[in-house]
Amino acid sequence: MGVEKKILVIPGDGIGQEVTSWGKRVLETIAENFKHKFTFDEGIMGHVAIEATGNPLPDETLEKARKSDAILFGAIGHAKYDNDPTLKVRPEQGLLKIRKELGLYANLRPIKLFDDLLHASSIKPEILQGADILFFRELTGDVYFGEKKRSEDRSSASDLMIYHKYEVERIARRAYEAARTRRKKLCSVDKANVLEASRLWREVVQEIAKEYPDVETEHMFIDNAAMQLIKDPKRFDVVVTGNLFGDILTDEASQIAGSMGMLASASVGDTIGFYEPIHGSAHDIAGKGLANPLASILSAALLLDISFGLKDEAQRVIRAVDATLRQGYRTMDIATKQTPNQFVLGTDAMGAKVLDNLN
Ligand code: IPM
Ligand code: MG
């Protein structure tokens, strides 16, 4: 007997609209093939929600989110806001608020290169081959949520970098648990040579490390980690870090997987899971049908695996993506000169190939 689940789809802004429809189609196909019953609802968030209601996260969307078993999200942001820092209501506030409200403190970003994309990265193939990293980015603390201030004359500004012990403990435990199921190596990234918040981070990770003597722990400063990631990505297994460092490091790490268009992420806490590509709204190509739908499709695979425990179904999706790449199908962002018999497709044609390979 299959499972019955409620999924909220929030396409968001820009290419989020185009790519998320493919993540959803993949979930529908899986439900059909495996006799599960997934019911879908849709919500608005980000620039589209500001336009419609004045609020980047309308209460209605938040209520729907709380009632769902998992959420598939697209992207957020609009160039209009990027170029006008004085705007008070901003699309990103919607995403930050939903993370906080749903207690999504752990952001998992798996970085793994599909064999057929070895040449899609700007990094040398011999450096990349075999790299397999799982990032745990803390998602509800740090400068993202610390107090923000602007002086009265508006000539100075500050964002408080703050971590509480319990916040570090819970993300560290999750990362250690994952390391146990992998190569048993954990690298904690901070800036403890300069920042007090990082010294607390390191202290707490050192404490938690004692509970996991079977996992090898390494501590690395963020600047060094940023360098090592490109120099020798294979040295990393599980990486755990704070919100800001994790944001930056995972964009960098996306190059190990060939393109931002390939990377999925899962944000989890104690209840509902939230799944999204790590790429942004890419307004330069939005609406043109050029975006890569694979990150959304792989986010759907993470959703099946983590929120629903449907491992076979998740593997089926990953294999369909792998098969599509093997057949030479590429979106613009992952096309390369080195690929023989390559077919460069738009969003919908690429999504359709994955569906064909699912059946
Ligand atoms: C991400 C994004 C977000 C973040 C933005 C859109 C607020 O870059 O999910 O990585 O900084 O967390
Ligand atoms: Mg980011």
Side-chain angles (χ1 to χ4, degrees), residues 11-20 45 47-48 74-78 279-288 291:
D13 299 327
I15 61 167
Q17 299 282 338
E18 298 149 72
V19 298
T20 313
M45 188 165 100
H47 169 67
V48 288
I76 212 156
H78 192 281
H279 63 64
S281 50
H283 276 272
D284 49 334
I285 59 163
K288 296 187 179 151

Side-chain angles (χ1 to χ4, degrees), residues 76 92 95 99 109 137 144 247:
I76 212 156
E92 290 81 0
L95 182 59
R99 286 174 179 169
R109 297 188 163 183
R137 167 190 175 194
Y144 271 69
D247 179 45

